[in-house]
Amino acid sequence: MTVWDPIADIAAKVRQGELKAVDLVEKSLASITKAEEYKAIIATTAERARKRAQQVDAGDNQGRLAGVPFIAKDNFLVFGAETTAASNILKGFDAPYQSTVINRLEAEGAICVAKANLDAFAHGASTENSDFFTTLNSHDKTRVPGGSSGGSATSVALELAPFALGTDTGGSTRQPASFTGVVGYKPTYGLMSRSGIVAMGSSLDTVGTFARTVEDAELVIDVMAGTDELDSTTIERDPAGYITDPTDLKGKRIGLIREYMGEGLADNVREQIEQAVAKLREAGAEIIDVSLPSLPLALAVYYILCPAEVSSNLSRYDGQRYGFSCSDAKDLSESYTRTREIGFGKEAKRRIMIGTYVLSSGYYDAYYKKAQTVRTKLINEAAEAFKQVDFLVGPVTPTVAFKIGENASNPLAMYLADVMTVAVNLIGVPGISIPCGVSGGLPVGLQLIAPQRADRELLAIAVAAERVLT
Ligand code: GLN
């Protein structure tokens, strides 16, 4: 059963006075309460949401998202609740300003109702690294929803709100979207401002959008995209915007990524992907076998560069400026160390250590510099591939949603969940996961990838693909 109308319809009805924003907010909050057992939500922003809904009903911000409730991953700075990034070290931190993308959504009338769970600081692929609790997969409560934006993905899968925001640094939007059966969009690096989002790997971080359909995602993306003076890495939006015109798959050249279809791909996922690709072919797409020879190195490159950036970004949490501070330290130096020792979880500490190591003198050339060289190689190989094809296609993840606890004590096994998503971030291109099938009751997503700045084209083809896949 579909709980919510398409987003554009909800907003239109609010503008016409057929629906009230206050009722939409209450409906969303009630569904959050009802779904508590899934532990998708860290906190609601109920009081502020109700106030904003009244303002919308009174005629304020009656824009393209008038009265539409949404849920933000708890690494977005939002008023109305603490921003914790699911980390103990940020407990008690109230955002002094909001993320640019949140402000843009609000300016069009959208209303944030809650903050969703994540792996602390977005480090993970299951939400098991949350310092607070693990979110359950809505298709099977014994399984993870993926991560790190597992709470946001589950929120949309359970229809707690029509859309949710996540982040994607190495797959954290596409992978949980695949595990929960919703649409997950990762834009070209720089298309959406990172201002007011807890930084993870600054050269990789992007804003992710979760929605039930590509069409819903387009509207949200269209509202958020574009330059922002608070983030110097932002790029111009496509002058045509991100609400696409109907297109079909006829004549589109789509490259099936050979490296993603080989060893390590679970049989049930392979089967779904092959079936989906066959449907794209039947609909007129030309499917071409494409190889990016350095792809097998992408995971190793990511797990050098990302921790390097993480170790630098997490250095600001010193107990003096944000959230938790150890109160019984005898001097400033002890306050720093004790705060970080108590406040950071295991995975954050692991990444700080790896990152510091690969950046330290003597190891910098062997690890960091070499990884940067391979990153450039990957970028060049992708550019070559995109001379042959318009889009790339492949699986999002090597398996369906795994069991809670299955990979929790083995960081390397957990990192392998990212093997098909990290390259997109290293290269900086846009990628989307759209539901393409179900295996044993568990959703499988299909990943489509486009050249840099071809977000509009990617969304258009995703709408066409969605039509033939569902
Ligand atoms: N799973 C990846 C990691 O743990 C990706 C995280 C992300 O995209 N935020 O680094």
Side-chain angles (χ1 to χ4, degrees), residues 73 75 119 121-126 129 147-149 167-175 200 204-206 302-303 306-307 310 347 351 414-415 417-418 421-422 425:
K73 187 177 182 178
N75 56 354
D119 291 291
F121 287 109
H123 305 161
S126 68
N129 292 338
S148 62
S149 318
T167 53
D168 195 313
T169 301
S172 280
T173 294
R174 288 159 290 148
Q175 187 254 17
M200 180 178 168
L204 304 154
D205 290 345
T206 57
Y302 175 85
Y303 275 102
C306 185
V310 162
E347 186 60 26
R351 293 189 192 214
M414 189 69 90
Y415 294 171
D418 309 326
T421 48
V422 294
N425 301 76

Side-chain angles (χ1 to χ4, degrees), residues 245-377:
D245 301 321
T247 182
D248 59 33
L249 289 150
K250 240 175 244 129
K252 297 284 186 319
R253 294 170 308 162
I254 303 183
L256 181 59
I257 306 169
R258 193 187 304 161
E259 286 77 13
Y260 288 173
M261 296 302 287
E263 209 188 323
L265 181 64
D267 289 342
N268 57 343
V269 177
R270 177 189 310 280
E271 203 177 297
Q272 295 298 325
I273 299 298
E274 282 175 352
Q275 280 175 18
V277 169
K279 284 184 193 160
L280 301 183
R281 188 184 284 121
E282 274 162 37
E286 190 188 335
I287 306 292
I288 301 160
D289 170 64
V290 165
S291 166
L292 279 74
S294 299
L295 270 185
L297 300 173
L299 195 67
V301 168
Y302 175 85
Y303 275 102
I304 291 170
L305 298 182
C306 185
E309 296 183 17
V310 162
S311 71
S312 160
N313 272 325
L314 293 187
S315 64
R316 74 191 66 174
Y317 303 107
D318 56 9
Q320 317 309 310
R321 289 171 289 178
Y322 310 92
F324 169 73
S325 179
C326 170
S327 56
D328 55 3
K330 65 176 187 315
D331 56 26
L332 188 59
S333 169
E334 190 179 300
S335 169
Y336 291 158
T337 39
R338 293 279 296 145
T339 296
R340 289 169 70 83
E341 186 186 332
I342 301 166
F344 283 132
K346 244 190 181 161
E347 186 60 26
K349 285 178 183 158
R350 181 177 294 121
R351 293 189 192 214
I352 291 169
M353 284 191 280
I354 295 172
T356 310
Y357 179 79
V358 300
L359 288 172
S360 57
S361 99
Y363 296 103
Y364 179 88
D365 282 359
Y367 295 105
Y368 187 78
K369 211 169 147 200
K370 199 173 265 175
Q372 286 286 33
T373 308
V374 181
R375 182 178 191 177
T376 303
K377 212 162 175 273

